[in-house]
Amino acid sequence: MPRPALAACCALLAPSLTLAAPAAAATPDTLNIGLQLEPPSLDPTTGPAEAIRDIVYDNVFESLTRLDEHGSVQPQLAKRWSIADGGRRYEFALDTGASFSDGTPFDCAIVKFSLDRARAPDSLNPERAFYAPIASISCPAPDHAVITLSAPDSEFLYHLAWAASAMVAPATAATNAQHPVGTGPYVLENWKRGSSITLSRREHLRAPIPAIARVSFHFIADPLTAADALDGNRLDGYVNFPNTDMLSRFQGDPRFTVLVGRSPIKLIWALNEARAPFNDLRVRLALAAAIDRYAIVTGYANNFATVIGSHDTPEDPDYLDLSAHAPYDVGHAQDLLRQAGVAAGTVIEIALPPTDYAHKVGDMLAAYLAQVGLVAKLVPMQWPQWLGDVYGHANYQTTVIAHTEPRDLDIYARPHYYFGYHDTVYDALFAQYRTTTDPAAQHALWQKLQQRLADTQANVFIAALPRISIWNARLRGMWRDEPIPLNRIADLSWTP
């Protein structure tokens, strides 16, 4: 799902720009963090928006496993596990010292309820496909869960670390969207609609106790307003800063640390292949050839991006560099459109979510479409409308979006995903990948999947985007890289 973001090319591997901190100052009572978007709800098990995860995941809600900064699976509510029966049987030793913030104990019954709810036919979980391989869940003891799969799933533990896999309690699951109750170290203190969300550290919390007692997330979409708030010490940090033009303002200031890191974010021009003319491969290839992705990277993000040719990013160890695929060629694009019977003057609608990247890139796409004789109709949307019309009901032609989930090639094998992409060759490759446990075979299949998406031009893939964040130089524990969308406040602390 989407996120506001920017990107990095050579800077992706650059060291963080940490300069000498100012003289010792008093530790703030509240950590103030800026974000571009306000979440529509606070339940990551029913809502797909990345803004939800940015605030509550690993803070209010926890899962059986979690990902560390390097993308490795680590224990969370599951202290340890074993795998048997050829990858079909998972046994988890649970942390029964954990509890929900309302006092509800965490045990195997919670695991069964949460995952049965996530995989139910009427589930609203945005990643319901993750749980389809589950055949049964049993509880030999309160601290012991056994999950049996119908077939091996090479990424089962990895998917259990996603926010959509958060553990929820029966008594509060239905109201988590507005009043989240989780096992994490923080609770919702207040939500000032349109302004901020504040979390406070739980009392009677199991160890380790986070150093930050209170954190407020402030929703500031305008980059200049955000920069002024940082400069005026009204913000202690801004995650995924949306304007690279302003970074130099902070890179030379000893009060700040600027982190440029890797992320799994893919900036794409998504095409609804359930609608003509996008169900024609020639049209999809034409649209890819009609745009200069390198110019977009330069014009939109000052080269803070990496051109890609498929749905994966260089931070993934199985990444296949397909950046040379579908090079910019106006004449070739026009020939393909003529072959497909797309007349000059045809209108192409581009739905734009309310993000800086979407509107800037949308304007560029409109100019490129004009060069090949097409007319762009830009359709601005607020997030609820985009989530409902585009993501929820596939009621759109094309859209500009940044997909934030890591290793999410599975979305192209889903029968009802909003791209409308259906390819039997791809489906067979993905089914083979999912049940393969040999690392070398997995690597080869993952690259074949990327190649197939490029060959069929499943979407117009533009760029891989990084995580660019600005922090008070006295803070420690911030993640440079972002293997999965979240802001883990328990890792942060102030230096004296």
Side-chain angles (χ1 to χ4, degrees), residues 40 55 115 139 211 215 218 291-292 306 360 363 370 403 416 425:
I55 292 173
L115 295 180
C139 296
V215 56
H218 302 267
I291 70 167
D292 186 342
T306 302
K360 286 183 177 179
D363 288 339
H403 268 255
H416 304 297
V425 173

Side-chain angles (χ1 to χ4, degrees), residues 14-26:
S16 62
L17 301 169
T18 306
L19 301 170

Side-chain angles (χ1 to χ4, degrees), residues 211-212 474-478 489-495:
I212 302 296
R474 292 180 54 222
L475 274 170
R476 294 293 180 268
M478 303 86 72
I489 304 305
D491 286 350
L492 304 183
S493 63
W494 290 100
T495 58

Side-chain angles (χ1 to χ4, degrees), residues 1 40 94 121 130 201 227 234 323 416 453:
M1 268 306 303
L94 305 178
F130 286 177
R201 188 174 56 202
R234 296 187 299 278
S323 56
H416 304 297
L453 292 177

Side-chain angles (χ1 to χ4, degrees), residues 422-494:
H422 297 292
D423 180 69
T424 55
V425 173
Y426 187 89
D427 291 347
L429 280 171
F430 188 80
Q432 185 180 357
Y433 167 80
R434 190 163 195 174
T435 57
T436 297
T437 56
D438 176 69
Q442 285 182 326
H443 174 79
L445 285 166
W446 195 260
Q447 294 204 332
K448 286 182 180 180
L449 289 166
Q450 294 172 66
Q451 184 69 60
R452 185 64 184 175
L453 292 177
D455 292 343
T456 57
Q457 202 62 64
N459 283 306
V460 179
F461 306 102
I462 301 175
L465 310 180
R467 176 185 175 97
I468 301 179
S469 300
I470 303 170
W471 295 97
N472 186 308
R474 292 180 54 222
L475 274 170
R476 294 293 180 268
M478 303 86 72
W479 287 13
R480 180 205 308 271
D481 299 326
E482 182 186 64
I484 196 167
L486 56 78
N487 293 293
R488 188 175 163 84
I489 304 305
D491 286 350
L492 304 183
S493 63
W494 290 100

Side-chain angles (χ1 to χ4, degrees), residues 118-419:
R119 69 191 182 108
D122 61 348
S123 170
L124 299 177
N125 194 292
E127 308 296 346
R128 185 164 68 95
F130 286 177
Y131 319 107
I134 297 176
S136 66
I137 305 169
S138 61
C139 296
D143 64 349
H144 184 189
V146 178
I147 301 177
T148 302
L149 308 184
S150 57
D153 182 352
S154 59
E155 303 212 321
F156 186 61
L157 289 173
Y158 182 79
H159 287 154
L160 288 180
W162 287 38
S165 301
M167 295 291 102
V168 297
T172 51
T175 56
N176 276 335
Q178 306 302 321
H179 306 285
V181 175
T183 61
Y186 292 91
V187 296
L188 176 66
E189 181 176 313
N190 63 62
W191 185 353
K192 298 179 180 178
R193 305 282 176 162
S195 176
S196 66
I197 288 176
T198 299
L199 307 179
S200 56
R201 188 174 56 202
R202 284 176 55 182
E203 297 180 1
H204 312 298
L205 181 65
R206 73 191 192 278
I209 307 299
I212 302 296
R214 195 167 182 263
V215 56
S216 288
F217 295 92
H218 302 267
F219 312 121
I220 306 174
D222 177 62
L224 181 58
T225 302
D228 288 343
L230 285 163
D231 207 22
N233 296 318
R234 296 187 299 278
L235 287 179
D236 301 304
Y238 195 104
V239 180
N240 293 302
F241 195 78
N243 191 309
T244 55
D245 291 333
M246 296 182 182
L247 291 183
S248 60
R249 176 175 173 178
F250 301 97
Q251 289 171 342
D253 192 323
R255 296 176 298 161
F256 299 101
T257 297
V258 178
L259 296 178
V260 178
R262 295 180 180 271
S263 88
I265 311 164
K266 286 80 62 175
L267 177 63
I268 64 175
W269 182 16
L271 313 176
N272 187 350
E273 296 179 39
R275 293 189 178 189
F278 312 107
N279 57 347
D280 190 321
L281 175 59
R282 294 169 297 183
V283 173
R284 301 196 301 274
L285 290 170
L287 295 180
I291 70 167
D292 186 342
R293 292 168 292 160
Y294 289 93
I296 290 176
V297 164
T298 301
Y300 157 62
N302 297 321
N303 286 322
F304 276 79
T306 302
V307 169
I308 57 175
S310 189
H311 194 97
D312 207 354
T313 64
E315 60 85 31
D316 193 303
D318 298 323
Y319 172 72
L320 177 64
D321 185 357
L322 293 165
S323 56
H325 176 77
Y328 177 50
D329 188 332
V330 172
H332 182 54
Q334 291 172 326
D335 288 343
L336 287 169
L337 290 171
R338 280 193 294 269
Q339 293 171 26
V342 178
T346 295
V347 176
I348 303 293
E349 292 186 0
I350 306 176
L352 303 176
T355 56
D356 184 68
Y357 74 77
H359 286 262
K360 286 183 177 179
V361 173
D363 288 339
M364 295 179 186
L365 294 178
Y368 285 121
L369 288 177
Q371 291 182 353
V372 296
L374 303 178
V375 178
K377 180 182 179 182
L378 302 180
V379 183
M381 293 182 172
Q382 294 301 310
W383 271 123
Q385 182 186 6
W386 191 96
L387 289 169
D389 289 353
V390 179
Y391 182 79
H393 300 289
N395 183 23
Y396 77 108
Q397 286 191 337
T398 76
T399 188
V400 177
I401 199 64
H403 268 255
T404 64
E405 289 80 3
R407 296 187 66 84
D408 58 341
L409 297 188
D410 66 288
I411 60 180
Y412 292 91
R414 298 183 189 181
H416 304 297
Y417 203 70
Y418 75 98
F419 297 154

